[in-house]
Amino acid sequence: MLMSASSASIINSSIFILTGFPGLDQYYLWFSIPVSCIYAMVFLGNCMVFHVIQAESSLHQPMFYFLAMLALTDLCMGLSTVHTVLGIFWGLSREIGLDTCISQTYFIHGLSCTESGVLLAMAFDRFIAICNPLMYTSILTNNRVIHFMVTILMRSALSILPVIIRLKFFPYCRPHILSHSFCLHQDLLRLACSDIRFNSFYALALVICTVLLDAVLILISYIFILHTVLAIASREERLKSLQTCVSHICAVLVFYIPMIGLTIVHRFGKHLSPLVHVLMGNIYILFPPLMNPIIYSVKTQQI
């Protein structure tokens, strides 16, 4: 009787319950230490990269402008999730209101789309630098770089609005228990008791037209880069050219592998332990912002 009353109150309220690591509540204080350190590294690392690029006039080049935008995107991703993730591990709150949850969903998915666009722009930068170096400065002018950045931001900010706005008007008649320590679009859809076909099809089409298309274009750009590099006679020059792409390739892998892993777990891993879902979700959110400053600090001599 008490359980049914509790479930009814969860269903009828606009409060959602976030999930930490199921069954490991007693260890949250210990988990909070490495997670807090990871967030500190995310903030400090990306702020450092952004500050160095801004302060050093020698780094005012298209590649570093895109890198600064990548650092800013990763910083915002950390800021959009830190309050809910650490709120659970520090024992502050596991509850989140619908409006706050929808806002967090918007920022998480929007920033993921932004990061994908920035990685594509960086691939285009490497393509021009290696395949057509004499035209580099005339093609990637400051005005064009600014246009690229604005286009990436507008695509991310506007394209997901239709599905995000609809989340506000769905009736959520299933227990308001989310699968992660933050809000995701597909997680909220799972709890909705309404016609969600538009959101499902639009979200799928959006992923295909943005993230998947970006990945295909990045792959094509590297096919052309590899073809150009292999045509260089000198082995040293080939290695030198490829080394300029190592950081970007690592950043692409760091971004796409967790995203693909989380998608596979959501689509085909319903039988898996909830711990797997939570772990993949946290890797998807934290791994790219953590690793990108490390990758570019180690591999980029100027930084």
Side-chain angles (χ1 to χ4, degrees), residues 58-77:
S58 62
L59 301 182
H60 292 177
Q61 304 169 29
M63 180 181 75
F64 294 107
Y65 290 145
F66 293 134
L67 178 55
M69 189 175 181
L70 184 68
L72 188 59
T73 302
D74 287 337
L75 184 63
C76 291
M77 181 66 86

Side-chain angles (χ1 to χ4, degrees), residues 124-142:
F124 181 69
D125 172 271
R126 292 298 84 208
F127 168 74
I128 298 298
I130 293 174
C131 298
N132 202 351
L134 297 179
M135 299 291 290
Y136 182 83
T137 54
S138 60
I139 293 175
L140 287 176
T141 62
N142 286 340

